[in-house]
Every structure is written in structure tokens, then in C-alpha cells.
Coordinates of all heavy atoms in Angstrom, one line a residue:
M1 N 0.8 -1.2 0.0 CA 0.0 0.0 0.0 C 0.9 1.3 0.0 O 0.5 2.3 -0.6 CB -1.0 0.0 1.2 CG -2.0 1.1 1.2 SD -3.0 0.9 -0.3 CE -4.3 2.0 0.1
I2 N 2.0 1.2 0.7 CA 2.8 2.4 0.7 C 3.3 2.9 -0.7 O 3.4 4.1 -0.9 CB 4.0 2.2 1.7 CG1 4.8 3.5 1.9 CG2 5.0 1.2 1.2 CD1 4.5 4.2 3.2
S3 N 3.5 1.9 -1.6 CA 4.0 2.3 -2.9 C 3.0 3.1 -3.6 O 3.3 4.1 -4.3 CB 4.3 1.0 -3.7 OG 5.3 0.3 -3.1
K4 N 1.7 2.7 -3.6 CA 0.6 3.5 -4.2 C 0.5 4.8 -3.5 O 0.2 5.8 -4.2 CB -0.7 2.7 -4.1 CG -0.7 1.5 -5.0 CD -2.1 0.8 -4.9 CE -2.1 -0.4 -5.8 NZ -3.4 -1.1 -5.8
E5 N 0.7 4.9 -2.2 CA 0.6 6.2 -1.5 C 1.7 7.1 -2.0 O 1.5 8.3 -2.2 CB 0.7 5.9 0.0 CG 0.5 7.1 0.9 CD 0.7 6.7 2.4 OE1 0.0 5.7 2.8 OE2 1.5 7.3 3.0
I6 N 2.9 6.6 -2.1 CA 4.0 7.4 -2.6 C 3.8 7.9 -4.0 O 4.0 9.1 -4.3 CB 5.4 6.6 -2.5 CG1 5.8 6.5 -1.0 CG2 6.5 7.3 -3.3 CD1 7.0 5.6 -0.8
L7 N 3.3 7.1 -4.9 CA 3.1 7.5 -6.3 C 1.9 8.5 -6.3 O 2.0 9.4 -7.1 CB 2.7 6.2 -7.1 CG 3.9 5.3 -7.4 CD1 3.5 4.1 -8.1 CD2 5.0 6.1 -8.2
K8 N 0.9 8.3 -5.5 CA -0.2 9.3 -5.5 C 0.3 10.7 -5.0 O -0.1 11.7 -5.6 CB -1.4 8.8 -4.6 CG -2.4 9.9 -4.4 CD -3.8 9.4 -4.1 CE -4.8 10.5 -4.0 NZ -4.6 11.8 -4.5
E9 N 1.1 10.7 -4.0 CA 1.6 11.9 -3.5 C 2.5 12.6 -4.5 O 2.5 13.8 -4.7 CB 2.3 11.7 -2.1 CG 1.3 11.4 -1.0 CD 2.0 11.4 0.4 OE1 2.8 12.3 0.6 OE2 1.6 10.5 1.1
A10 N 3.3 11.8 -5.2 CA 4.2 12.3 -6.2 C 3.4 12.9 -7.3 O 3.7 14.0 -7.8 CB 5.1 11.3 -6.7
S11 N 2.3 12.2 -7.7 CA 1.4 12.7 -8.8 C 0.7 14.0 -8.4 O 0.6 15.0 -9.2 CB 0.4 11.6 -9.1 OG -0.5 12.1 -10.1
D12 N 0.3 14.1 -7.1 CA -0.3 15.3 -6.6 C 0.7 16.5 -6.6 O 0.3 17.6 -6.9 CB -0.9 15.1 -5.2 CG -2.1 14.1 -5.2 OD1 -2.6 13.8 -6.2 OD2 -2.4 13.6 -4.0
L13 N 1.9 16.2 -6.3 CA 2.9 17.3 -6.3 C 3.2 17.8 -7.7 O 3.3 19.0 -7.9 CB 4.3 16.7 -5.8 CG 4.5 16.6 -4.3 CD1 5.9 16.0 -4.0 CD2 4.4 17.9 -3.6
I14 N 3.2 17.0 -8.7 CA 3.5 17.4 -10.0 C 2.5 18.4 -10.6 O 2.8 19.3 -11.2 CB 3.7 16.2 -11.0 CG1 4.9 15.3 -10.6 CG2 3.7 16.6 -12.4 CD1 5.0 14.0 -11.3
G15 N 1.3 18.2 -10.3 CA 0.2 19.0 -10.8 C -0.5 19.9 -9.8 O -1.3 20.7 -10.1
G16 N 0.0 19.8 -8.6 CA -0.7 20.6 -7.5 C -0.1 21.9 -7.1 O 0.2 22.7 -8.0
E17 N 0.2 22.1 -5.9 CA 0.7 23.3 -5.3 C 2.0 23.7 -5.9 O 2.3 24.9 -6.2 CB 0.8 23.2 -3.8 CG -0.5 23.2 -3.1 CD -1.4 24.5 -3.3 OE1 -0.8 25.6 -3.2 OE2 -2.6 24.3 -3.6
R18 N 2.9 22.8 -6.2 CA 4.2 23.1 -6.8 C 4.0 23.8 -8.1 O 4.7 24.6 -8.5 CB 5.1 21.9 -6.8 CG 5.6 21.5 -5.5 CD 6.7 20.5 -5.5 NE 7.1 20.2 -4.2 CZ 7.9 19.2 -3.9 NH1 8.5 18.6 -4.8 NH2 8.2 19.0 -2.6
N19 N 3.0 23.3 -8.9 CA 2.7 23.9 -10.2 C 2.3 25.3 -10.0 O 2.7 26.1 -10.8 CB 1.7 23.0 -10.9 CG 1.6 23.4 -12.4 OD1 2.6 23.4 -13.1 ND2 0.4 23.6 -12.8
K20 N 1.5 25.6 -9.0 CA 1.1 27.0 -8.8 C 2.2 27.8 -8.3 O 2.4 29.0 -8.7 CB 0.0 27.0 -7.7 CG -1.3 26.4 -8.2 CD -2.4 26.4 -7.0 CE -3.6 25.7 -7.4 NZ -4.5 25.6 -6.3
D21 N 3.1 27.2 -7.5 CA 4.2 28.0 -6.9 C 5.3 28.3 -7.9 O 5.9 29.3 -7.9 CB 4.8 27.2 -5.7 CG 3.9 27.2 -4.5 OD1 3.0 28.0 -4.4 OD2 4.1 26.4 -3.6
Y22 N 5.7 27.3 -8.7 CA 6.8 27.3 -9.6 C 6.5 27.4 -11.1 O 7.4 27.5 -11.9 CB 7.8 26.2 -9.3 CG 8.2 26.1 -7.8 CD1 7.8 25.0 -7.1 CD2 8.8 27.2 -7.2 CE1 8.2 24.9 -5.7 CE2 9.2 27.1 -5.9 CZ 8.9 26.0 -5.1 OH 9.2 25.9 -3.8
G23 N 5.3 27.2 -11.4 CA 4.9 27.2 -12.9 C 5.0 25.8 -13.5 O 5.2 24.8 -12.8
D24 N 4.8 25.8 -14.8 CA 4.9 24.5 -15.5 C 6.2 23.8 -15.2 O 7.2 24.4 -15.3 CB 4.7 24.8 -17.0 CG 4.8 23.5 -17.8 OD1 3.8 22.8 -17.8 OD2 5.9 23.3 -18.4
K25 N 6.1 22.5 -14.9 CA 7.3 21.7 -14.5 C 8.3 21.6 -15.6 O 9.5 21.8 -15.3 CB 6.9 20.4 -14.0 CG 6.2 19.5 -15.1 CD 5.6 18.2 -14.5 CE 4.7 17.5 -15.4 NZ 3.5 18.3 -15.7
L26 N 7.9 21.5 -16.8 CA 8.9 21.4 -17.9 C 9.6 22.7 -18.2 O 10.8 22.8 -18.4 CB 8.2 20.8 -19.2 CG 7.6 19.4 -19.0 CD1 6.9 19.0 -20.3 CD2 8.7 18.4 -18.6
K27 N 8.8 23.8 -18.2 CA 9.4 25.1 -18.4 C 10.3 25.5 -17.2 O 11.4 26.0 -17.5 CB 8.3 26.2 -18.4 CG 7.5 26.2 -19.7 CD 6.5 27.3 -19.8 CE 5.6 27.2 -21.0 NZ 4.5 28.2 -21.0
N28 N 9.9 25.1 -16.0 CA 10.8 25.4 -14.9 C 12.1 24.6 -15.0 O 13.2 25.1 -14.8 CB 10.1 25.0 -13.6 CG 10.9 25.4 -12.4 OD1 11.4 26.5 -12.3 ND2 11.0 24.5 -11.4
H29 N 12.0 23.3 -15.4 CA 13.2 22.5 -15.5 C 14.1 23.0 -16.7 O 15.3 23.0 -16.6 CB 12.9 21.0 -15.7 CG 12.6 20.3 -14.4 ND1 11.5 20.6 -13.6 CD2 13.3 19.4 -13.8 CE1 11.5 19.8 -12.6 NE2 12.6 19.1 -12.6
Q30 N 13.5 23.6 -17.7 CA 14.3 24.2 -18.8 C 15.0 25.4 -18.3 O 16.2 25.7 -18.7 CB 13.4 24.5 -20.0 CG 14.2 24.9 -21.2 CD 15.3 23.9 -21.6 OE1 15.0 22.7 -21.9 NE2 16.6 24.3 -21.6
R31 N 14.3 26.2 -17.5 CA 15.0 27.4 -16.9 C 16.1 27.1 -16.1 O 17.2 27.7 -16.2 CB 14.0 28.3 -16.1 CG 13.1 29.2 -16.9 CD 12.3 30.2 -16.1 NE 11.4 29.5 -15.2 CZ 10.1 29.3 -15.4 NH1 9.6 29.7 -16.5 NH2 9.3 28.7 -14.5
I32 N 16.0 26.0 -15.2 CA 17.1 25.5 -14.4 C 18.2 25.0 -15.3 O 19.4 25.4 -15.1 CB 16.6 24.4 -13.5 CG1 15.6 24.9 -12.5 CG2 17.8 23.8 -12.8 CD1 14.8 23.9 -11.7
A33 N 17.9 24.3 -16.3 CA 18.9 23.8 -17.3 C 19.7 24.9 -17.9 O 20.9 24.8 -18.1 CB 18.2 22.9 -18.4
D34 N 18.9 26.0 -18.3 CA 19.6 27.1 -19.0 C 20.6 27.8 -18.0 O 21.7 28.1 -18.4 CB 18.6 28.1 -19.4 CG 17.7 27.6 -20.6 OD1 18.1 26.6 -21.2 OD2 16.6 28.2 -20.8
L35 N 20.2 27.9 -16.8 CA 21.1 28.6 -15.8 C 22.3 27.6 -15.4 O 23.4 28.1 -15.4 CB 20.3 28.9 -14.5 CG 19.3 30.0 -14.6 CD1 18.3 30.0 -13.4 CD2 20.0 31.3 -14.8
W36 N 22.0 26.3 -15.3 CA 23.1 25.4 -15.0 C 24.1 25.4 -16.2 O 25.3 25.3 -16.0 CB 22.6 24.0 -14.7 CG 21.9 23.8 -13.4 CD1 21.7 24.8 -12.4 CD2 21.4 22.6 -12.9 NE1 21.0 24.2 -11.4 CE2 20.9 22.9 -11.6 CE3 21.4 21.3 -13.3 CZ2 20.3 21.9 -10.8 CZ3 20.9 20.3 -12.5 CH2 20.3 20.6 -11.3
S37 N 23.6 25.5 -17.4 CA 24.4 25.4 -18.6 C 25.4 26.6 -18.6 O 26.5 26.4 -18.9 CB 23.5 25.5 -19.9 OG 22.8 24.3 -20.0
V38 N 24.9 27.8 -18.2 CA 25.8 29.0 -18.2 C 26.8 28.8 -17.1 O 28.0 28.9 -17.3 CB 25.0 30.2 -17.9 CG1 25.9 31.4 -17.6 CG2 24.1 30.6 -19.1
F39 N 26.4 28.3 -15.9 CA 27.3 28.2 -14.8 C 28.3 27.1 -15.0 O 29.5 27.3 -14.8 CB 26.5 27.8 -13.5 CG 27.4 27.7 -12.3 CD1 27.9 28.8 -11.7 CD2 27.7 26.5 -11.8 CE1 28.7 28.7 -10.5 CE2 28.5 26.3 -10.7 CZ 29.0 27.5 -10.1
L40 N 27.9 25.9 -15.6 CA 28.8 24.8 -15.8 C 29.5 24.9 -17.1 O 30.4 24.1 -17.4 CB 28.0 23.5 -15.7 CG 27.4 23.2 -14.3 CD1 26.4 22.0 -14.4 CD2 28.5 23.0 -13.3
K41 N 29.2 25.8 -18.0 CA 29.8 26.0 -19.3 C 29.7 24.8 -20.2 O 30.6 24.4 -20.9 CB 31.2 26.5 -19.2 CG 31.4 27.8 -18.4 CD 32.8 28.2 -18.3 CE 32.8 29.5 -17.5 NZ 34.0 29.8 -16.8
T42 N 28.5 24.1 -20.1 CA 28.2 22.9 -20.9 C 26.7 22.8 -21.0 O 26.0 23.3 -20.2 CB 28.8 21.7 -20.3 OG1 28.7 20.6 -21.2 CG2 28.1 21.2 -19.0
K43 N 26.2 22.2 -22.1 CA 24.8 22.1 -22.3 C 24.1 21.2 -21.4 O 24.5 20.0 -21.3 CB 24.5 21.8 -23.8 CG 23.1 21.6 -24.2 CD 22.4 22.9 -24.2 CE 21.0 22.7 -24.7 NZ 20.1 23.8 -24.2
I44 N 23.1 21.6 -20.7 CA 22.3 20.8 -19.7 C 20.9 20.9 -20.3 O 20.4 22.0 -20.7 CB 22.4 21.4 -18.3 CG1 23.8 21.6 -17.8 CG2 21.5 20.6 -17.4 CD1 24.6 20.3 -17.6
T45 N 20.2 19.8 -20.2 CA 18.8 19.7 -20.7 C 17.8 19.7 -19.5 O 18.3 19.4 -18.4 CB 18.5 18.5 -21.6 OG1 18.7 17.3 -20.8 CG2 19.5 18.5 -22.8
A46 N 16.6 19.9 -19.8 CA 15.6 19.8 -18.7 C 15.5 18.3 -18.2 O 15.4 18.1 -17.0 CB 14.2 20.2 -19.3
H47 N 15.8 17.4 -19.1 CA 15.8 16.0 -18.7 C 17.0 15.8 -17.7 O 16.8 15.1 -16.7 CB 16.0 15.1 -19.9 CG 16.1 13.6 -19.6 ND1 17.3 13.0 -19.5 CD2 15.1 12.7 -19.4 CE1 17.0 11.7 -19.2 NE2 15.7 11.5 -19.1
D48 N 18.2 16.4 -18.0 CA 19.3 16.2 -17.1 C 19.0 16.8 -15.8 O 19.4 16.2 -14.7 CB 20.5 17.0 -17.7 CG 21.1 16.5 -19.0 OD1 20.9 15.3 -19.3 OD2 21.6 17.3 -19.8
V49 N 18.3 17.9 -15.7 CA 17.9 18.5 -14.4 C 17.1 17.5 -13.6 O 17.4 17.3 -12.4 CB 17.2 19.9 -14.6 CG1 16.6 20.4 -13.3 CG2 18.1 20.9 -15.2
A50 N 16.0 16.9 -14.2 CA 15.2 16.0 -13.5 C 16.0 14.8 -13.0 O 15.8 14.4 -11.8 CB 14.0 15.6 -14.4
I51 N 16.9 14.3 -13.8 CA 17.7 13.1 -13.4 C 18.7 13.6 -12.3 O 18.8 12.8 -11.2 CB 18.5 12.6 -14.6 CG1 17.5 12.0 -15.6 CG2 19.5 11.5 -14.1 CD1 16.6 10.9 -15.1
C52 N 19.3 14.7 -12.4 CA 20.2 15.2 -11.3 C 19.5 15.4 -10.0 O 20.0 15.1 -8.9 CB 21.0 16.4 -11.8 SG 22.2 16.0 -13.0
M53 N 18.3 16.0 -10.1 CA 17.5 16.2 -8.9 C 17.1 14.8 -8.2 O 17.1 14.7 -7.0 CB 16.3 17.0 -9.2 CG 16.6 18.5 -9.6 SD 17.6 19.4 -8.4 CE 16.5 19.5 -7.0
A54 N 16.8 13.8 -9.1 CA 16.5 12.5 -8.6 C 17.8 12.0 -7.8 O 17.7 11.4 -6.8 CB 16.1 11.6 -9.7
L55 N 19.0 12.2 -8.4 CA 20.2 11.8 -7.8 C 20.4 12.4 -6.4 O 21.0 11.8 -5.5 CB 21.4 12.0 -8.7 CG 21.4 11.1 -10.0 CD1 22.5 11.5 -10.9 CD2 21.5 9.6 -9.6
V56 N 20.0 13.7 -6.3 CA 20.1 14.4 -5.0 C 19.3 13.6 -4.0 O 19.7 13.4 -2.9 CB 19.6 15.9 -5.1 CG1 19.4 16.5 -3.7 CG2 20.6 16.7 -5.9
K57 N 18.1 13.2 -4.4 CA 17.2 12.5 -3.5 C 17.8 11.1 -3.1 O 17.7 10.7 -2.0 CB 15.8 12.3 -4.1 CG 15.1 13.6 -4.3 CD 14.9 14.4 -3.0 CE 14.3 15.8 -3.2 NZ 14.0 16.4 -2.0
I58 N 18.4 10.5 -4.1 CA 19.1 9.2 -3.8 C 20.2 9.4 -2.8 O 20.4 8.6 -1.9 CB 19.5 8.5 -5.1 CG1 18.3 8.1 -6.0 CG2 20.5 7.3 -4.9 CD1 18.6 7.6 -7.4
A59 N 21.0 10.4 -3.0 CA 22.1 10.7 -2.1 C 21.6 10.9 -0.7 O 22.2 10.4 0.3 CB 22.9 11.9 -2.6
R60 N 20.5 11.6 -0.6 CA 19.9 11.8 0.8 C 19.4 10.5 1.4 O 19.5 10.3 2.6 CB 18.7 12.8 0.7 CG 19.2 14.2 0.4 CD 18.1 15.2 0.3 NE 18.6 16.6 0.1 CZ 17.8 17.6 -0.1 NH1 16.5 17.5 0.0 NH2 18.4 18.8 -0.2
L61 N 18.9 9.6 0.5 CA 18.4 8.4 1.0 C 19.5 7.5 1.5 O 19.3 6.6 2.3 CB 17.5 7.6 -0.1 CG 16.2 8.2 -0.3 CD1 15.6 7.7 -1.6 CD2 15.2 8.0 0.9
M62 N 20.7 7.7 1.0 CA 21.8 6.9 1.4 C 22.2 7.2 2.9 O 22.8 6.4 3.6 CB 23.1 7.2 0.5 CG 22.9 6.7 -0.9 SD 24.2 7.2 -2.0 CE 25.5 6.1 -1.5
N63 N 21.7 8.3 3.4 CA 22.0 8.7 4.8 C 20.8 8.3 5.7 O 21.0 7.8 6.8 CB 22.2 10.2 4.9 CG 22.5 10.6 6.3 OD1 23.5 10.1 6.9 ND2 21.7 11.5 6.9
Q64 N 19.6 8.6 5.2 CA 18.4 8.3 6.0 C 17.2 8.1 5.1 O 17.0 8.8 4.1 CB 18.1 9.5 6.9 CG 17.0 9.3 7.9 CD 16.8 10.5 8.8 OE1 17.2 11.6 8.6 NE2 16.1 10.2 9.9
H65 N 16.4 7.1 5.4 CA 15.2 6.8 4.6 C 14.1 7.7 5.1 O 13.5 7.4 6.2 CB 14.9 5.3 4.7 CG 15.9 4.4 4.1 ND1 15.6 3.6 3.0 CD2 17.2 4.3 4.3 CE1 16.7 2.9 2.7 NE2 17.7 3.4 3.4
K66 N 13.7 8.7 4.3 CA 12.6 9.5 4.6 C 11.6 9.5 3.5 O 11.9 9.5 2.3 CB 13.1 11.0 4.8 CG 13.9 11.1 6.1 CD 14.3 12.5 6.4 CE 13.1 13.2 7.0 NZ 13.4 14.6 7.5
K67 N 10.3 9.4 3.8 CA 9.2 9.3 2.9 C 9.2 10.4 1.8 O 9.0 10.1 0.6 CB 7.9 9.2 3.6 CG 6.7 9.0 2.6 CD 5.4 8.9 3.4 CE 4.3 8.8 2.5 NZ 3.0 8.9 3.2
D68 N 9.5 11.6 2.2 CA 9.4 12.7 1.2 C 10.5 12.6 0.1 O 10.3 13.0 -1.0 CB 9.4 14.1 1.9 CG 10.8 14.5 2.4 OD1 11.2 14.0 3.4 OD2 11.4 15.3 1.8
N69 N 11.6 12.0 0.5 CA 12.6 11.8 -0.6 C 12.2 10.8 -1.6 O 12.4 10.9 -2.8 CB 14.0 11.3 0.0 CG 14.7 12.4 0.7 OD1 14.7 13.6 0.3 ND2 15.2 12.2 1.9
Y70 N 11.4 9.7 -1.2 CA 10.9 8.7 -2.1 C 9.8 9.4 -3.0 O 9.7 9.1 -4.2 CB 10.3 7.5 -1.4 CG 11.4 6.7 -0.7 CD1 11.6 6.6 0.6 CD2 12.1 5.8 -1.5 CE1 12.5 5.8 1.2 CE2 13.1 5.0 -1.0 CZ 13.3 5.0 0.4 OH 14.3 4.3 0.9
I71 N 9.0 10.3 -2.4 CA 7.9 11.0 -3.1 C 8.6 11.8 -4.2 O 8.2 11.8 -5.4 CB 7.0 11.8 -2.2 CG1 6.3 10.8 -1.3 CG2 6.1 12.7 -2.9 CD1 5.6 11.5 -0.1
D72 N 9.5 12.6 -3.8 CA 10.2 13.5 -4.7 C 11.0 12.8 -5.8 O 11.0 13.1 -7.0 CB 11.2 14.4 -4.0 CG 10.5 15.5 -3.2 OD1 9.3 15.7 -3.3 OD2 11.2 16.1 -2.3
L73 N 11.6 11.6 -5.4 CA 12.3 10.8 -6.4 C 11.3 10.3 -7.5 O 11.6 10.3 -8.7 CB 13.0 9.6 -5.7 CG 13.7 8.6 -6.5 CD1 14.8 9.2 -7.3 CD2 14.3 7.5 -5.6
A74 N 10.1 9.8 -7.0 CA 9.1 9.4 -8.0 C 8.6 10.5 -8.9 O 8.5 10.3 -10.1 CB 7.9 8.8 -7.2
A75 N 8.5 11.7 -8.3 CA 8.0 12.9 -9.1 C 9.1 13.2 -10.1 O 8.8 13.5 -11.3 CB 7.8 14.1 -8.2
Y76 N 10.4 13.3 -9.7 CA 11.4 13.6 -10.7 C 11.5 12.6 -11.8 O 11.8 12.9 -12.9 CB 12.8 13.8 -10.0 CG 12.9 15.1 -9.2 CD1 13.2 15.2 -7.9 CD2 12.6 16.4 -9.8 CE1 13.3 16.3 -7.2 CE2 12.7 17.5 -9.1 CZ 13.0 17.5 -7.8 OH 13.1 18.7 -7.1
G77 N 11.3 11.3 -11.4 CA 11.3 10.3 -12.4 C 10.2 10.5 -13.5 O 10.4 10.3 -14.6
A78 N 9.0 10.9 -13.0 CA 7.9 11.1 -13.9 C 8.2 12.3 -14.8 O 7.9 12.3 -16.0 CB 6.7 11.3 -13.1
I79 N 8.8 13.4 -14.2 CA 9.1 14.5 -15.0 C 10.1 14.2 -16.1 O 10.0 14.6 -17.2 CB 9.6 15.7 -14.1 CG1 8.4 16.2 -13.2 CG2 10.2 16.8 -14.9 CD1 8.8 17.1 -12.1
A80 N 11.1 13.4 -15.7 CA 12.2 13.0 -16.6 C 11.6 12.2 -17.8 O 11.9 12.3 -18.9 CB 13.3 12.2 -16.0
G81 N 10.6 11.3 -17.4 CA 10.0 10.4 -18.4 C 9.1 11.2 -19.3 O 8.9 10.8 -20.5

């Protein structure tokens, strides 16, 4: 049951309050990619951003298993997909 709960919460995040707070998820990830590209002096895509953010969540999970990291990981996976 916890798996379905995590996926539901991730789905709610993608289209819910975060969408209102930060705008369209794909446009937001592209803006992040554009900024990272300038800073890193290499081309970064919106897909790269979603994968890198998922890796941040995985790194955090290596220290402590927290539900919100699993939710965010699922959400970033969906955005990347």
C-alpha cells in the first residue's frame, strides 16, 4: 500500500501546489537547465535537471530513509519520463 501512496503523493505534487508555486514543471526545468548550462559552461537539458534532482534524493536516502525523498524521487522520475 505504501508504494501506491508514494506514487499518489508524487502525482499530486507534479500538478498541484508546486505547479502553482513554480509554474509549468517542464518550463521550470528548462529554466534551471539554462542557468546550469551557463554556470557549468556545458549544455544541460531539462531531462538532465530532473535526473540530477533525482540523484540528489538518492544521495539523501543513502543517509536516511525519509518518505518525502521517495515521493520527490518518484516525481522527478515522472518529470524526466
Side-chain angles (χ1 to χ4, degrees):
M1 188 60 167
I2 187 100
S3 298
K4 288 181 181 180
E5 185 179 309
I6 286 171
L7 289 173
K8 172 153 180 16
E9 289 186 43
S11 178
D12 291 346
L13 279 178
I14 292 170
E17 290 298 316
R18 288 190 182 176
N19 193 51
K20 291 177 189 173
D21 291 342
Y22 304 118
D24 177 77
K25 62 189 168 293
L26 298 178
K27 288 181 183 176
N28 186 46
H29 278 69
Q30 187 56 57
R31 279 193 295 268
I32 295 167
D34 293 343
L35 291 166
W36 286 6
S37 294
V38 171
F39 182 77
L40 297 170
K41 298 178 183 157
T42 191
K43 179 68 176 155
I44 305 294
T45 67
H47 180 265
D48 295 333
V49 171
I51 296 300
C52 287
M53 295 303 294
L55 291 171
V56 167
K57 297 302 175 172
I58 290 168
R60 289 179 177 177
L61 286 165
M62 292 172 74
N63 184 59
Q64 185 177 21
H65 293 239
K66 294 185 79 175
K67 184 179 175 185
D68 75 284
N69 286 319
Y70 289 107
I71 293 166
D72 290 345
L73 179 60
Y76 285 124
I79 291 168

